[in-house]
Amino acid sequence: MLLAATGMSVVSVFGRWVADRPVLGDVELMQVACAVAVALFLPYCQVRNAHIIVDFFTARAAARTRRRLDALGSTLLATAMLVLAWRAGVGVADMKAAGETTMVTGFPFWLTYLAMVPGLALSGVIALNLAWRQWRGEMV
């Protein structure tokens, strides 16, 4: 998706430079592609435990304290992702009913949110599983 968006952006810039004819709605399409790509990459980051962790304040804490804080962070992340997935799902229905579209291309907003829901939900489920394992002491 990001490669396609990048290709579209290159074509748009080249078209603007050579023929003064950019891709209509290129900024809107890039925004949609980036939002969906980020939502779909979140589960991968979560399953690899690759989110950014700032441990400046906990570097000298006991291992047990760090584990509990990690478990708390995973629990909070799971809650946030599941709430976002739920609200994005509600947003799909509302936007579809309202017929909201982007200004230039008329691309339906609800399709963007629909594409984001699985990534947000899966990220929440993965974080919930990780939190469960961390609270049980299975993760080091």
Side-chain angles (χ1 to χ4, degrees), residues 5-68:
T6 302
M8 183 264 321
S9 184
V10 167
V11 168
S12 183
V13 169
F14 188 73
R16 182 176 292 126
W17 180 56
V18 172
D20 198 28
R21 300 213 46 191
V23 173
L24 183 65
D26 59 346
V27 173
E28 290 176 349
L29 295 172
M30 183 63 80
Q31 290 170 340
V32 166
C34 287
V36 172
V38 166
L40 294 176
F41 272 118
L42 286 173
Y44 177 74
C45 288
Q46 187 61 37
V47 81
R48 305 270 305 167
N49 203 18
H51 289 296
I52 295 173
I53 296 174
V54 179
D55 60 356
F56 178 77
F57 296 107
T58 61
R60 294 185 181 169
R64 183 176 181 191
T65 302
R66 285 195 309 270
R67 279 195 307 272
R68 286 183 175 174

Side-chain angles (χ1 to χ4, degrees), residues 24-132:
L24 183 65
D26 59 346
V27 173
E28 290 176 349
L29 295 172
M30 183 63 80
Q31 290 170 340
V32 166
C34 287
V36 172
V38 166
L40 294 176
F41 272 118
L42 286 173
Y44 177 74
C45 288
Q46 187 61 37
V47 81
R48 305 270 305 167
N49 203 18
H51 289 296
I52 295 173
I53 296 174
V54 179
D55 60 356
F56 178 77
F57 296 107
T58 61
R60 294 185 181 169
R64 183 176 181 191
T65 302
R66 285 195 309 270
R67 279 195 307 272
R68 286 183 175 174
L69 287 172
D70 287 344
L72 177 62
S74 293
T75 303
L76 293 173
L77 180 66
T79 303
M81 290 295 112
L82 292 172
V83 167
L84 284 172
W86 165 53
R87 294 311 300 167
V90 171
V92 168
D94 290 346
M95 288 181 192
K96 187 173 182 182
E100 291 186 47
T101 62
T102 59
M103 293 183 74
V104 177
T105 61
F107 185 80
F109 272 128
W110 69 270
L111 287 174
T112 303
Y113 279 71
L114 182 64
M116 292 172 65
V117 170
L120 295 171
L122 184 57
S123 185
V125 169
I126 293 168
L128 194 60
N129 178 272
L130 180 62
W132 174 257

